[in-house]
Coordinates of all heavy atoms in Angstrom, one line a residue:
M1 N 14.3 -19.1 21.8 CA 12.9 -19.3 21.4 C 12.7 -19.2 19.9 O 13.3 -18.4 19.3 CB 12.1 -18.3 22.2 CG 10.6 -18.4 21.9 SD 9.7 -17.3 23.0 CE 8.5 -18.4 23.6
R2 N 11.9 -20.1 19.4 CA 11.7 -20.2 17.9 C 10.4 -19.5 17.6 O 9.3 -19.8 18.2 CB 11.7 -21.6 17.5 CG 11.6 -21.8 16.0 CD 11.6 -23.3 15.7 NE 11.3 -23.5 14.3 CZ 10.0 -23.6 13.8 NH1 9.0 -23.5 14.6 NH2 9.8 -23.9 12.6
Y3 N 10.4 -18.6 16.6 CA 9.2 -18.0 16.1 C 8.9 -18.5 14.7 O 9.8 -18.6 13.9 CB 9.3 -16.4 16.1 CG 9.5 -15.8 17.4 CD1 10.7 -15.5 17.9 CD2 8.4 -15.6 18.2 CE1 10.9 -14.9 19.2 CE2 8.5 -15.0 19.4 CZ 9.8 -14.7 19.9 OH 9.9 -14.1 21.1
D4 N 7.6 -18.8 14.5 CA 7.2 -19.2 13.2 C 7.1 -18.0 12.3 O 6.5 -17.0 12.7 CB 5.9 -20.0 13.2 CG 6.1 -21.4 13.8 OD1 7.1 -22.0 13.7 OD2 5.1 -21.8 14.4
T5 N 7.6 -18.1 11.1 CA 7.4 -17.0 10.2 C 6.2 -17.2 9.4 O 5.8 -18.4 9.1 CB 8.6 -16.8 9.3 OG1 8.8 -18.1 8.6 CG2 9.9 -16.5 10.0
P6 N 5.5 -16.2 9.0 CA 4.3 -16.4 8.2 C 4.6 -17.0 6.9 O 5.7 -16.8 6.3 CB 3.7 -15.0 8.1 CG 4.7 -14.1 8.5 CD 5.7 -14.8 9.3
S7 N 3.7 -17.8 6.4 CA 4.0 -18.5 5.1 C 3.9 -17.4 4.0 O 3.3 -16.3 4.2 CB 2.9 -19.5 4.8 OG 1.7 -18.9 4.6
T8 N 4.6 -17.7 2.9 CA 4.6 -16.8 1.8 C 3.2 -16.6 1.3 O 2.8 -15.4 1.1 CB 5.5 -17.4 0.7 OG1 6.8 -17.5 1.2 CG2 5.5 -16.4 -0.5
N9 N 2.4 -17.6 1.3 CA 1.0 -17.5 0.8 C 0.2 -16.6 1.8 O -0.6 -15.8 1.4 CB 0.3 -18.8 0.7 CG 0.8 -19.6 -0.5 OD1 1.4 -19.0 -1.5 ND2 0.6 -20.9 -0.6
G10 N 0.4 -16.8 3.1 CA -0.3 -16.0 4.1 C 0.1 -14.5 4.0 O -0.7 -13.7 4.1
M11 N 1.4 -14.3 3.8 CA 1.8 -12.9 3.7 C 1.3 -12.3 2.4 O 0.8 -11.1 2.5 CB 3.4 -12.8 3.7 CG 3.9 -11.4 3.6 SD 5.7 -11.3 3.7 CE 5.9 -11.5 5.4
Q12 N 1.3 -13.0 1.3 CA 0.7 -12.4 0.1 C -0.8 -12.1 0.3 O -1.3 -11.1 -0.2 CB 0.9 -13.4 -1.1 CG 2.2 -13.1 -1.8 CD 2.1 -13.7 -3.2 OE1 1.1 -14.1 -3.7 NE2 3.3 -13.6 -3.9
R13 N -1.5 -13.0 1.0 CA -2.9 -12.8 1.3 C -3.1 -11.5 2.1 O -4.0 -10.7 1.7 CB -3.5 -14.0 2.0 CG -5.0 -14.2 1.8 CD -5.5 -15.5 2.3 NE -4.7 -16.2 3.3 CZ -4.0 -17.3 3.0 NH1 -3.9 -17.8 1.8 NH2 -3.3 -17.9 4.0
S14 N -2.3 -11.3 3.1 CA -2.4 -10.1 3.9 C -2.0 -8.9 3.1 O -2.7 -7.8 3.1 CB -1.4 -10.1 5.1 OG -1.8 -11.1 6.0
L15 N -1.0 -9.0 2.2 CA -0.6 -7.9 1.4 C -1.7 -7.5 0.4 O -2.1 -6.4 0.2 CB 0.6 -8.2 0.6 CG 1.9 -8.0 1.4 CD1 3.1 -8.5 0.5 CD2 2.2 -6.6 1.8
R16 N -2.3 -8.6 -0.2 CA -3.4 -8.3 -1.2 C -4.6 -7.7 -0.5 O -5.2 -6.8 -1.1 CB -3.8 -9.6 -1.9 CG -2.7 -10.1 -2.8 CD -3.0 -11.5 -3.4 NE -2.0 -12.0 -4.2 CZ -1.8 -11.7 -5.5 NH1 -2.6 -11.0 -6.1 NH2 -0.7 -12.2 -6.2
Q17 N -4.9 -8.1 0.7 CA -6.0 -7.5 1.4 C -5.7 -6.1 1.7 O -6.6 -5.2 1.5 CB -6.3 -8.3 2.7 CG -7.5 -7.8 3.5 CD -7.9 -8.6 4.7 OE1 -7.2 -9.6 4.9 NE2 -8.9 -8.2 5.4
C18 N -4.5 -5.8 2.1 CA -4.1 -4.4 2.4 C -4.2 -3.5 1.1 O -4.6 -2.4 1.2 CB -2.8 -4.3 3.1 SG -2.8 -4.8 4.8
L19 N -3.7 -4.1 0.1 CA -3.7 -3.3 -1.2 C -5.1 -3.1 -1.7 O -5.4 -2.0 -2.2 CB -2.9 -4.1 -2.3 CG -1.4 -4.1 -2.1 CD1 -0.7 -5.1 -3.0 CD2 -0.8 -2.7 -2.3
S20 N -6.0 -4.0 -1.5 CA -7.4 -3.9 -1.9 C -8.0 -2.8 -1.0 O -8.7 -1.9 -1.5 CB -8.1 -5.2 -1.7 OG -9.5 -5.0 -2.1
N21 N -7.8 -2.9 0.3 CA -8.3 -1.8 1.2 C -7.7 -0.5 0.9 O -8.5 0.5 0.9 CB -7.9 -2.2 2.7 CG -8.7 -3.3 3.2 OD1 -9.7 -3.8 2.7 ND2 -8.3 -3.9 4.4
M22 N -6.4 -0.4 0.6 CA -5.8 0.8 0.2 C -6.5 1.4 -1.0 O -6.8 2.6 -1.1 CB -4.3 0.7 0.0 CG -3.6 1.9 -0.4 SD -1.9 1.6 -1.0 CE -2.2 0.8 -2.5
A23 N -6.7 0.6 -2.0 CA -7.3 1.1 -3.3 C -8.7 1.7 -3.0 O -9.0 2.8 -3.5 CB -7.4 0.0 -4.3
A24 N -9.5 1.0 -2.2 CA -10.8 1.5 -1.9 C -10.7 2.8 -1.1 O -11.5 3.8 -1.4 CB -11.6 0.5 -1.1
L25 N -9.8 2.9 -0.1 CA -9.7 4.1 0.7 C -9.2 5.3 -0.2 O -9.7 6.4 -0.1 CB -8.6 3.9 1.8 CG -9.2 3.2 3.1 CD1 -8.0 2.8 4.0 CD2 -10.1 4.2 3.8
L26 N -8.2 5.0 -1.1 CA -7.7 6.0 -2.0 C -8.9 6.6 -2.8 O -9.0 7.8 -2.9 CB -6.6 5.5 -2.9 CG -5.3 5.2 -2.2 CD1 -4.3 4.6 -3.2 CD2 -4.7 6.5 -1.7
Y27 N -9.7 5.7 -3.3 CA -10.8 6.1 -4.2 C -11.8 7.0 -3.4 O -12.2 8.1 -3.8 CB -11.5 4.9 -4.7 CG -12.8 5.2 -5.5 CD1 -12.7 5.7 -6.8 CD2 -14.0 5.0 -5.0 CE1 -13.8 6.0 -7.5 CE2 -15.2 5.3 -5.7 CZ -15.1 5.8 -7.0 OH -16.2 6.1 -7.7
R28 N -12.1 6.5 -2.2 CA -13.1 7.3 -1.3 C -12.5 8.6 -0.9 O -13.3 9.6 -0.7 CB -13.5 6.5 -0.1 CG -14.4 5.3 -0.4 CD -15.1 4.7 0.8 NE -14.1 4.2 1.8 CZ -13.8 2.9 1.9 NH1 -14.3 2.0 1.0 NH2 -13.0 2.5 2.8
Q29 N -11.2 8.8 -0.8 CA -10.6 10.0 -0.5 C -10.2 10.9 -1.7 O -9.6 11.9 -1.5 CB -9.3 9.8 0.4 CG -9.6 9.1 1.7 CD -10.4 10.1 2.6 OE1 -10.0 11.2 2.8 NE2 -11.4 9.5 3.2
G30 N -10.6 10.5 -2.9 CA -10.4 11.3 -4.1 C -9.1 11.1 -4.7 O -8.7 11.9 -5.6
H31 N -8.4 10.1 -4.4 CA -7.1 9.8 -5.0 C -7.2 8.7 -6.1 O -8.3 8.1 -6.2 CB -6.1 9.2 -4.0 CG -5.7 10.2 -2.9 ND1 -4.8 11.2 -3.1 CD2 -6.1 10.3 -1.6 CE1 -4.7 11.9 -2.0 NE2 -5.5 11.3 -1.0
V32 N -6.2 8.6 -6.9 CA -6.2 7.5 -7.9 C -5.0 6.6 -7.6 O -4.1 7.0 -6.8 CB -6.0 8.1 -9.3 CG1 -7.2 8.9 -9.7 CG2 -4.8 8.9 -9.5
L33 N -5.0 5.4 -8.1 CA -3.9 4.4 -7.9 C -2.5 5.0 -8.2 O -1.5 4.6 -7.6 CB -4.2 3.1 -8.5 CG -5.4 2.3 -8.0 CD1 -5.5 1.0 -8.8 CD2 -5.2 2.0 -6.5
E34 N -2.5 5.8 -9.3 CA -1.2 6.4 -9.7 C -0.5 7.2 -8.5 O 0.7 7.3 -8.5 CB -1.4 7.3 -10.9 CG -1.6 6.6 -12.2 CD -1.8 7.5 -13.3 OE1 -2.4 8.6 -13.1 OE2 -1.5 7.2 -14.4
T35 N -1.3 7.6 -7.6 CA -0.8 8.4 -6.5 C 0.3 7.6 -5.7 O 1.3 8.1 -5.3 CB -1.9 8.8 -5.5 OG1 -2.9 9.5 -6.2 CG2 -1.4 9.6 -4.3
V36 N 0.1 6.3 -5.6 CA 1.0 5.4 -4.9 C 1.9 4.5 -5.8 O 2.8 3.9 -5.4 CB 0.3 4.5 -3.8 CG1 -0.2 5.4 -2.7 CG2 -0.8 3.7 -4.4
T37 N 1.5 4.4 -7.1 CA 2.2 3.5 -8.0 C 3.3 4.2 -8.8 O 4.2 3.6 -9.3 CB 1.3 2.8 -9.0 OG1 0.6 3.8 -9.8 CG2 0.3 1.9 -8.3
V38 N 3.3 5.5 -8.9 CA 4.3 6.3 -9.6 C 5.3 6.7 -8.5 O 5.0 7.5 -7.6 CB 3.7 7.5 -10.3 CG1 4.8 8.4 -10.9 CG2 2.7 7.1 -11.3
P39 N 6.6 6.2 -8.6 CA 7.6 6.5 -7.6 C 7.8 7.9 -7.2 O 8.1 8.2 -6.0 CB 8.8 5.8 -8.1 CG 8.3 4.8 -9.1 CD 7.1 5.4 -9.7
H40 N 7.7 8.9 -8.1 CA 7.9 10.3 -7.7 C 6.7 11.0 -7.1 O 6.8 12.1 -6.8 CB 8.5 11.0 -8.9 CG 7.6 11.2 -10.0 ND1 7.5 10.3 -11.0 CD2 6.7 12.2 -10.3 CE1 6.6 10.7 -11.9 NE2 6.1 11.9 -11.5
R41 N 5.6 10.3 -7.1 CA 4.4 10.9 -6.5 C 4.2 10.5 -5.1 O 5.0 10.9 -4.2 CB 3.1 10.5 -7.3 CG 3.2 11.2 -8.7 CD 1.9 11.0 -9.5 NE 0.8 11.7 -8.8 CZ -0.4 11.6 -9.3 NH1 -0.7 10.9 -10.4 NH2 -1.4 12.2 -8.7
G42 N 3.2 9.8 -4.7 CA 3.1 9.3 -3.3 C 2.1 10.1 -2.5 O 1.6 11.1 -2.9
L43 N 1.9 9.6 -1.3 CA 1.0 10.2 -0.3 C 1.8 11.0 0.7 O 2.7 10.3 1.3 CB 0.1 9.2 0.4 CG -0.9 8.4 -0.5 CD1 -1.4 7.2 0.2 CD2 -2.0 9.4 -0.9
D44 N 1.5 12.2 0.9 CA 2.3 12.9 2.0 C 1.6 12.6 3.3 O 0.6 11.9 3.4 CB 2.3 14.5 1.7 CG 0.9 15.1 1.7 OD1 0.0 14.5 2.3 OD2 0.8 16.2 1.2
R45 N 2.2 13.1 4.4 CA 1.8 12.7 5.7 C 0.4 13.2 6.0 O -0.4 12.5 6.7 CB 2.8 13.3 6.8 CG 4.1 12.6 6.6 CD 5.0 12.7 7.8 NE 6.3 12.2 7.5 CZ 6.7 10.9 7.7 NH1 5.8 10.0 8.1 NH2 7.9 10.5 7.4
S46 N -0.1 14.3 5.5 CA -1.4 14.8 5.7 C -2.4 13.8 5.0 O -3.5 13.6 5.5 CB -1.6 16.2 5.3 OG -1.5 16.4 3.9
A47 N -2.1 13.4 3.8 CA -3.0 12.4 3.1 C -3.0 11.1 3.9 O -4.1 10.5 4.0 CB -2.5 12.2 1.7
L48 N -1.9 10.6 4.4 CA -1.9 9.4 5.2 C -2.7 9.6 6.5 O -3.5 8.7 6.9 CB -0.5 9.0 5.6 CG 0.4 8.5 4.5 CD1 1.8 8.4 4.9 CD2 -0.1 7.3 3.9
K49 N -2.7 10.8 7.1 CA -3.5 11.0 8.3 C -5.0 11.0 7.9 O -5.8 10.4 8.7 CB -3.1 12.4 8.9 CG -3.9 12.7 10.2 CD -3.6 14.0 10.8 CE -4.4 14.4 12.0 NZ -5.7 13.8 12.1
A50 N -5.3 11.5 6.8 CA -6.7 11.5 6.3 C -7.2 10.1 6.1 O -8.3 9.8 6.4 CB -6.9 12.4 5.0
L51 N -6.3 9.2 5.5 CA -6.7 7.8 5.3 C -6.9 7.2 6.7 O -7.9 6.4 6.9 CB -5.6 7.1 4.6 CG -5.5 7.4 3.1 CD1 -4.3 6.6 2.5 CD2 -6.7 7.2 2.3
G52 N -6.0 7.5 7.7 CA -6.2 6.9 9.0 C -7.4 7.4 9.7 O -8.1 6.6 10.4
D53 N -7.8 8.7 9.5 CA -9.0 9.2 10.1 C -10.2 8.6 9.5 O -11.3 8.5 10.1 CB -9.0 10.7 9.9 CG -8.0 11.5 10.8 OD1 -7.4 10.9 11.7 OD2 -7.7 12.7 10.5
A54 N -10.1 8.2 8.2 CA -11.3 7.7 7.5 C -11.5 6.2 7.8 O -12.6 5.7 7.6 CB -11.1 7.9 6.0
S55 N -10.5 5.5 8.2 CA -10.6 4.1 8.4 C -9.6 3.6 9.5 O -8.4 3.8 9.4 CB -10.4 3.3 7.1 OG -10.3 1.9 7.4
D56 N -10.1 2.8 10.4 CA -9.3 2.2 11.4 C -8.4 1.1 10.8 O -7.4 0.7 11.4 CB -10.1 1.6 12.6 CG -10.8 2.6 13.4 OD1 -10.3 3.8 13.4 OD2 -11.8 2.3 14.1
D57 N -8.7 0.6 9.6 CA -8.0 -0.4 9.0 C -6.7 0.1 8.4 O -5.8 -0.7 8.0 CB -8.8 -1.1 7.9 CG -9.9 -1.9 8.4 OD1 -9.9 -2.3 9.6 OD2 -10.9 -2.1 7.7
W58 N -6.6 1.4 8.2 CA -5.4 2.0 7.4 C -4.1 1.8 8.2 O -3.1 1.3 7.6 CB -5.6 3.5 7.1 CG -4.3 4.0 6.5 CD1 -3.5 4.9 7.0 CD2 -3.7 3.5 5.2 NE1 -2.4 5.0 6.1 CE2 -2.5 4.2 5.1 CE3 -4.1 2.5 4.3 CZ2 -1.7 4.0 4.0 CZ3 -3.2 2.3 3.2 CH2 -2.1 3.0 3.1
A59 N -4.0 2.1 9.4 CA -2.7 2.0 10.2 C -2.1 0.6 10.1 O -1.0 0.5 9.8 CB -2.9 2.5 11.6
P60 N -2.9 -0.4 10.4 CA -2.4 -1.8 10.3 C -1.9 -2.1 8.9 O -0.9 -2.8 8.7 CB -3.5 -2.7 10.8 CG -4.5 -1.8 11.5 CD -4.3 -0.5 11.0
C61 N -2.7 -1.7 7.9 CA -2.3 -2.0 6.5 C -1.1 -1.2 6.1 O -0.2 -1.8 5.5 CB -3.5 -1.6 5.6 SG -4.7 -2.9 5.5
Q62 N -1.0 0.0 6.5 CA 0.3 0.8 6.2 C 1.5 0.0 6.8 O 2.5 -0.1 6.2 CB 0.2 2.2 6.7 CG 1.4 3.0 6.4 CD 1.4 4.4 7.0 OE1 0.3 4.9 7.3 NE2 2.6 5.0 7.0
H63 N 1.3 -0.4 8.1 CA 2.4 -1.1 8.8 C 2.8 -2.4 8.0 O 4.0 -2.7 7.8 CB 2.0 -1.5 10.2 CG 3.0 -2.2 10.9 ND1 4.2 -1.6 11.4 CD2 3.1 -3.5 11.3 CE1 4.9 -2.6 12.0 NE2 4.3 -3.7 11.9
I64 N 1.8 -3.2 7.6 CA 2.0 -4.4 6.8 C 2.7 -4.1 5.5 O 3.7 -4.8 5.1 CB 0.7 -5.2 6.6 CG1 0.3 -5.8 7.9 CG2 0.9 -6.3 5.6 CD1 -1.1 -6.4 7.9
L65 N 2.3 -3.1 4.8 CA 2.9 -2.7 3.5 C 4.3 -2.3 3.7 O 5.2 -2.7 2.9 CB 2.1 -1.6 2.9 CG 0.7 -2.0 2.4 CD1 -0.1 -0.7 2.0 CD2 0.8 -2.9 1.2
E66 N 4.6 -1.6 4.8 CA 6.0 -1.1 5.0 C 6.9 -2.3 5.5 O 8.0 -2.4 4.9 CB 6.0 0.0 6.0 CG 5.5 1.3 5.5 CD 5.7 2.4 6.5 OE1 6.8 2.8 6.7 OE2 4.7 2.9 7.0
T67 N 6.4 -3.1 6.4 CA 7.3 -4.1 7.0 C 7.5 -5.3 6.0 O 8.5 -5.9 6.0 CB 6.7 -4.7 8.3 OG1 5.4 -5.2 8.1 CG2 6.7 -3.7 9.4
S68 N 6.6 -5.4 5.0 CA 6.8 -6.5 4.0 C 7.6 -5.9 2.8 O 7.8 -6.6 1.9 CB 5.4 -6.9 3.5 OG 4.8 -5.9 2.8
Q69 N 8.0 -4.7 2.9 CA 8.7 -4.0 1.8 C 7.9 -3.8 0.5 O 8.4 -3.8 -0.6 CB 10.1 -4.6 1.6 CG 10.9 -4.6 2.8 CD 12.3 -5.2 2.6 OE1 12.5 -6.0 1.6 NE2 13.2 -5.0 3.5
A70 N 6.6 -3.8 0.7 CA 5.7 -3.5 -0.5 C 5.5 -2.0 -0.6 O 5.0 -1.6 -1.7 CB 4.4 -4.2 -0.3
A71 N 5.9 -1.2 0.4 CA 5.8 0.2 0.3 C 6.9 0.8 1.0 O 7.6 0.2 1.9 CB 4.4 0.7 0.9
T72 N 7.2 2.1 0.7 CA 8.4 2.8 1.3 C 8.1 4.3 1.2 O 7.0 4.7 0.8 CB 9.7 2.4 0.5 OG1 10.8 2.9 1.3 CG2 9.7 2.9 -0.9
W73 N 9.1 5.0 1.6 CA 9.1 6.5 1.5 C 10.0 6.9 0.4 O 11.2 6.5 0.4 CB 9.5 7.1 2.8 CG 8.5 6.7 3.9 CD1 8.6 5.6 4.7 CD2 7.3 7.3 4.3 NE1 7.6 5.5 5.6 CE2 6.7 6.6 5.3 CE3 6.7 8.5 3.9 CZ2 5.5 6.9 6.0 CZ3 5.5 8.8 4.5 CH2 4.9 8.1 5.5
N74 N 9.5 7.8 -0.5 CA 10.4 8.3 -1.6 C 11.2 9.5 -1.1 O 11.2 9.8 0.1 CB 9.6 8.6 -2.9 CG 8.6 9.8 -2.7 OD1 8.7 10.6 -1.7 ND2 7.7 9.9 -3.6
T75 N 12.0 10.0 -2.0 CA 12.9 11.1 -1.6 C 12.2 12.4 -1.1 O 12.7 13.2 -0.4 CB 13.9 11.5 -2.8 OG1 13.1 11.8 -3.9 CG2 14.8 10.4 -3.1
Q76 N 10.9 12.5 -1.5 CA 10.1 13.6 -1.0 C 9.4 13.3 0.3 O 8.6 14.1 0.8 CB 9.0 14.0 -2.1 CG 9.6 14.6 -3.4 CD 9.9 13.5 -4.4 OE1 9.4 12.4 -4.3 NE2 10.7 13.8 -5.4
Q77 N 9.7 12.1 0.8 CA 9.1 11.6 2.0 C 7.6 11.4 1.8 O 6.8 11.7 2.7 CB 9.4 12.5 3.2 CG 10.8 12.5 3.7 CD 11.3 11.1 4.0 OE1 10.8 10.5 4.9 NE2 12.3 10.6 3.3
H78 N 7.2 10.9 0.7 CA 5.9 10.5 0.4 C 5.8 9.0 0.3 O 6.7 8.3 -0.1 CB 5.4 11.0 -1.0 CG 5.2 12.5 -1.0 ND1 4.7 13.2 -2.1 CD2 5.5 13.5 0.0 CE1 4.7 14.5 -1.8 NE2 5.1 14.7 -0.5
F79 N 4.7 8.4 0.8 CA 4.5 7.0 0.8 C 4.1 6.5 -0.5 O 3.2 6.9 -1.2 CB 3.3 6.7 1.8 CG 3.0 5.3 2.1 CD1 3.7 4.6 3.0 CD2 1.9 4.7 1.5 CE1 3.5 3.3 3.3 CE2 1.6 3.4 1.8 CZ 2.4 2.7 2.7
V80 N 4.9 5.5 -1.0 CA 4.7 4.9 -2.4 C 4.9 3.4 -2.3 O 5.5 2.9 -1.4 CB 5.7 5.5 -3.4 CG1 5.4 7.0 -3.7 CG2 7.1 5.3 -3.0
L81 N 4.3 2.7 -3.3 CA 4.6 1.3 -3.4 C 5.9 1.0 -4.0 O 6.4 1.8 -4.9 CB 3.5 0.7 -4.3 CG 2.1 0.7 -3.7 CD1 1.1 0.0 -4.7 CD2 2.0 0.0 -2.3
T82 N 6.5 0.0 -3.6 CA 7.8 -0.5 -4.2 C 7.5 -1.4 -5.4 O 6.3 -1.6 -5.7 CB 8.6 -1.4 -3.2 OG1 7.8 -2.5 -2.9 CG2 8.9 -0.6 -1.9
G83 N 8.5 -1.9 -6.0 CA 8.2 -2.8 -7.2 C 7.4 -4.0 -6.8 O 6.5 -4.4 -7.5
L84 N 7.6 -4.5 -5.6 CA 6.8 -5.6 -5.1 C 5.3 -5.2 -4.9 O 4.4 -5.9 -5.4 CB 7.3 -6.1 -3.7 CG 6.4 -7.1 -3.0 CD1 6.3 -8.5 -3.7 CD2 7.0 -7.3 -1.6
G85 N 5.1 -4.1 -4.3 CA 3.7 -3.6 -4.1 C 3.0 -3.3 -5.4 O 1.9 -3.7 -5.6
R86 N 3.7 -2.7 -6.4 CA 3.2 -2.4 -7.7 C 2.8 -3.7 -8.4 O 1.8 -3.9 -9.0 CB 4.1 -1.6 -8.5 CG 4.1 -0.1 -8.1 CD 4.9 0.8 -9.1 NE 6.2 0.4 -9.3 CZ 7.3 0.7 -8.6 NH1 7.1 1.5 -7.5 NH2 8.5 0.3 -8.9
E87 N 3.8 -4.7 -8.3 CA 3.5 -6.0 -9.0 C 2.3 -6.7 -8.5 O 1.5 -7.2 -9.3 CB 4.8 -6.9 -8.8 CG 4.7 -8.2 -9.5 CD 5.9 -9.1 -9.2 OE1 7.0 -8.5 -9.1 OE2 5.8 -10.3 -9.1
L88 N 2.1 -6.7 -7.2 CA 0.9 -7.3 -6.6 C -0.3 -6.6 -6.9 O -1.4 -7.2 -7.3 CB 1.1 -7.4 -5.1 CG 2.0 -8.5 -4.5 CD1 2.3 -8.3 -3.0 CD2 1.5 -9.9 -4.8
L89 N -0.3 -5.2 -6.9 CA -1.4 -4.4 -7.2 C -1.8 -4.6 -8.7 O -3.0 -4.8 -9.0 CB -1.1 -2.9 -7.0 CG -2.3 -2.0 -7.2 CD1 -3.2 -2.1 -5.9 CD2 -1.8 -0.6 -7.3
F90 N -0.9 -4.6 -9.6 CA -1.2 -4.8 -11.0 C -1.7 -6.2 -11.3 O -2.5 -6.5 -12.1 CB 0.0 -4.5 -11.9 CG 0.4 -3.0 -11.9 CD1 1.7 -2.6 -12.0 CD2 -0.6 -2.0 -11.7 CE1 2.1 -1.3 -12.0 CE2 -0.2 -0.7 -11.7 CZ 1.1 -0.3 -11.8
D91 N -1.1 -7.2 -10.5 CA -1.6 -8.6 -10.6 C -3.1 -8.7 -10.2 O -3.9 -9.4 -10.8 CB -0.8 -9.5 -9.7 CG -1.1 -11.0 -9.9 OD1 -1.2 -11.4 -11.1 OD2 -1.3 -11.6 -8.9
M92 N -3.5 -7.9 -9.2 CA -4.8 -7.9 -8.7 C -5.8 -7.2 -9.6 O -6.9 -7.6 -9.9 CB -4.9 -7.3 -7.3 CG -4.2 -8.1 -6.2 SD -4.1 -7.2 -4.7 CE -5.7 -6.7 -4.4
F93 N -5.4 -6.0 -10.1 CA -6.3 -5.1 -10.8 C -6.0 -4.9 -12.3 O -6.7 -4.3 -13.0 CB -6.3 -3.7 -10.1 CG -6.8 -3.7 -8.7 CD1 -6.0 -3.5 -7.7 CD2 -8.2 -3.8 -8.5 CE1 -6.4 -3.5 -6.4 CE2 -8.7 -3.8 -7.2 CZ -7.8 -3.6 -6.1
G94 N -4.9 -5.6 -12.7 CA -4.6 -5.5 -14.1 C -3.5 -4.4 -14.3 O -3.4 -3.4 -13.6
E95 N -2.7 -4.6 -15.3 CA -1.5 -3.8 -15.6 C -1.9 -2.3 -15.8 O -1.2 -1.4 -15.4 CB -0.7 -4.3 -16.8 CG 0.6 -3.7 -17.0 CD 1.6 -4.2 -15.9 OE1 1.6 -5.3 -15.5 OE2 2.4 -3.3 -15.5
G96 N -3.0 -2.1 -16.4 CA -3.5 -0.7 -16.7 C -4.3 -0.1 -15.6 O -4.9 1.0 -15.8
A97 N -4.4 -0.7 -14.5 CA -5.3 -0.3 -13.4 C -5.0 1.2 -13.0 O -5.9 2.0 -12.9 CB -5.2 -1.2 -12.2
A98 N -3.7 1.5 -12.9 CA -3.4 2.9 -12.5 C -3.8 3.9 -13.5 O -4.2 5.0 -13.2 CB -1.9 3.0 -12.2
D99 N -3.7 3.5 -14.8 CA -4.1 4.4 -15.9 C -5.6 4.6 -15.9 O -6.0 5.7 -16.4 CB -3.6 3.8 -17.2 CG -2.1 3.6 -17.3 OD1 -1.4 4.3 -16.7 OD2 -1.7 2.7 -18.1
C100 N -6.4 3.7 -15.5 CA -7.8 3.8 -15.6 C -8.5 4.3 -14.3 O -9.6 4.7 -14.3 CB -8.4 2.4 -15.9 SG -7.8 1.7 -17.4
A101 N -7.7 4.3 -13.2 CA -8.3 4.7 -11.9 C -8.7 6.2 -11.9 O -8.2 7.0 -12.6 CB -7.3 4.4 -10.8

């Protein structure tokens, strides 16, 4: 059986929507973008649970970010963006977005 893979443009659109939702959720929960853009920081499991409790959109977005390899778990087991995720985020919000958030 043949499965169609999502187009690159479609995947980027989904990623961008998730990144935008993530940025808004982080802001509402008192976080800054640096929380997920700095590789040694990240969101711990309790922060991720709080995001999920705050929005039903978080779990699907987290899944999309992870399966697309735009996010991963660092050595402290915190959720962070990968190079791909940071590149898309900075493309959307500007290179200094994390510094200004």
Side-chain angles (χ1 to χ4, degrees):
M1 179 170 231
R2 184 178 170 275
Y3 293 98
D4 289 329
T5 56
S7 70
T8 301
N9 288 342
M11 181 175 284
Q12 268 202 8
R13 205 169 21 258
S14 291
L15 281 173
R16 289 175 187 273
Q17 183 174 358
C18 285
L19 288 167
S20 179
N21 288 347
M22 180 191 68
L25 277 170
L26 288 173
Y27 176 76
R28 287 195 299 265
Q29 294 295 311
H31 295 283
V32 294
L33 291 178
E34 285 177 329
T35 305
V36 292
T37 60
V38 176
H40 66 272
R41 290 188 66 184
L43 295 166
D44 63 19
R45 295 196 186 274
S46 66
L48 291 173
K49 182 180 178 331
L51 291 177
D53 291 346
S55 172
D56 291 338
D57 292 335
W58 174 246
C61 278
Q62 180 181 343
H63 178 74
I64 289 169
L65 291 168
E66 287 184 72
T67 57
S68 66
Q69 299 180 346
T72 191
W73 299 90
N74 66 15
T75 56
Q76 294 88 18
Q77 292 302 299
H78 291 184
F79 185 80
V80 294
L81 294 179
T82 62
L84 169 65
R86 286 190 302 274
E87 182 180 325
L88 286 170
L89 186 77
F90 293 148
D91 184 50
M92 291 168 55
F93 294 108
E95 194 68 39
D99 299 332
C100 300

